[in-house]
Amino acid sequence: MIPRHIGIIMDGNGRWAERRGLPRKEGYAAGLAALRKVLGRAAERGVETVTVYAFSTENFARPEEEIRAIVKVADAFDRSYDGDMRVSYMGDIYAFGDEFAEGVESVEARTAGNPGLRLNIAFGYGGRADIVNAAKRAADKGDFTEEDFAANLSSAGLPPLDLVIRSGGEKRLSGFMLYEAAYAELWFTDALWPDFDGDALDEAIASFEGRERKFGA
């Protein structure tokens, strides 16, 4: 069975650049090229939604030049995208300035009716903060069932998260969709993100298909 919703922690862009004697910021453009390839393969395989961890709340601690490079790549994508994917964001996009937020709002509006794969971009996002905010909203409404809580997460409206892929060799979630990943299958690879491709995605999907999902049973 093909996963409906895949989450990807795109780790290793900076290290990829460093190993080639390039400034770390060059890795993010290469990372976007890799993402385009992976999304193309995901669409071919029938995946409905891909959520990518593009900028975590912890990434604000990185050097300003590197932050600007990440934002520049994301903004260029938002303003130029003209394919059939539906693009959405979750996270504090306004933390990056009005111009960036305008680009996000533009691509979301422009692609809202598109029939293709849904690309959801976690940008300025942290799973702990999202859980806290969802709990506050649910409590303010006076209803606090599991369903009410989930409806207040940033991921509300997305299919359940089936598979989380992390590149770059680390084996942790790093704050990515912590609530949603409770029963997601996890797949890790040492490949740095710009080296990740459609064949690697096929390998992750094959691993998913070979697992028996019991959901605690």
Side-chain angles (χ1 to χ4, degrees):
M1 181 174 65
I2 298 295
R4 293 179 63 200
H5 185 181
I6 297 177
I8 304 178
I9 302 171
M10 305 181 295
D11 194 16
N13 295 292
R15 283 177 285 156
W16 181 90
E18 287 176 343
R19 291 180 184 181
R20 287 159 177 77
L22 301 170
R24 284 177 61 87
K25 64 181 182 180
E26 297 297 328
Y28 297 104
L32 177 58
L35 178 59
R36 290 181 183 276
K37 295 176 184 177
V38 170
L39 291 171
R41 182 63 60 85
E44 290 173 4
R45 295 297 305 272
V47 176
E48 294 180 23
T49 301
V50 174
T51 295
V52 295
Y53 206 10
F55 195 102
S56 73
T57 50
E58 288 76 18
N59 289 158
F60 284 110
R62 294 189 177 187
E64 185 63 32
E65 181 183 16
E66 193 168 335
I67 293 173
R68 286 198 299 269
I70 298 171
V71 172
K72 181 179 179 180
V73 167
D75 189 56
F77 170 80
D78 292 341
R79 295 181 183 279
S80 64
Y81 182 71
D82 61 356
D84 67 353
M85 290 190 301
R86 177 184 174 188
V87 181
S88 60
Y89 272 74
M90 66 181 189
D92 185 9
I93 60 171
Y94 297 97
F96 303 92
D98 291 344
E99 186 174 347
F100 179 78
E102 288 169 4
V104 170
E105 291 167 355
S106 174
V107 73
E108 288 182 331
R110 202 168 64 246
T111 65
N114 282 1
L117 177 148
R118 180 167 183 176
L119 170 62
N120 184 50
I121 303 172
F123 211 92
Y125 170 87
R128 288 179 175 176
D130 198 35
I131 288 171
V132 170
N133 291 334
K136 288 179 178 178
R137 287 191 288 268
D140 287 344
K141 295 174 183 177
D143 295 319
F144 214 125
T145 65
E146 186 172 321
E147 291 75 18
D148 293 322
F149 175 80
N152 286 284
L153 290 166
S154 297
S155 60
L158 300 179
L161 185 61
D162 293 318
L163 172 65
V164 176
I165 296 169
R166 180 167 187 156
S167 63
E170 302 293 349
K171 295 179 174 62
R172 59 176 181 270
L173 292 176
S174 297
F176 178 67
M177 299 186 79
L178 297 176
Y179 184 87
E180 299 89 337
Y183 282 103
E185 302 297 326
L186 308 179
W187 192 83
F188 302 101
T189 176
D190 290 334
L192 302 178
W193 176 249
D195 293 326
F196 198 93
D197 57 17
D199 290 341
L201 180 68
D202 285 340
E203 186 179 350
I205 291 175
S207 174
F208 175 85
E209 291 177 315
R211 301 183 191 185
E212 182 180 0
R213 307 187 74 198
K214 296 183 178 180
F215 299 97

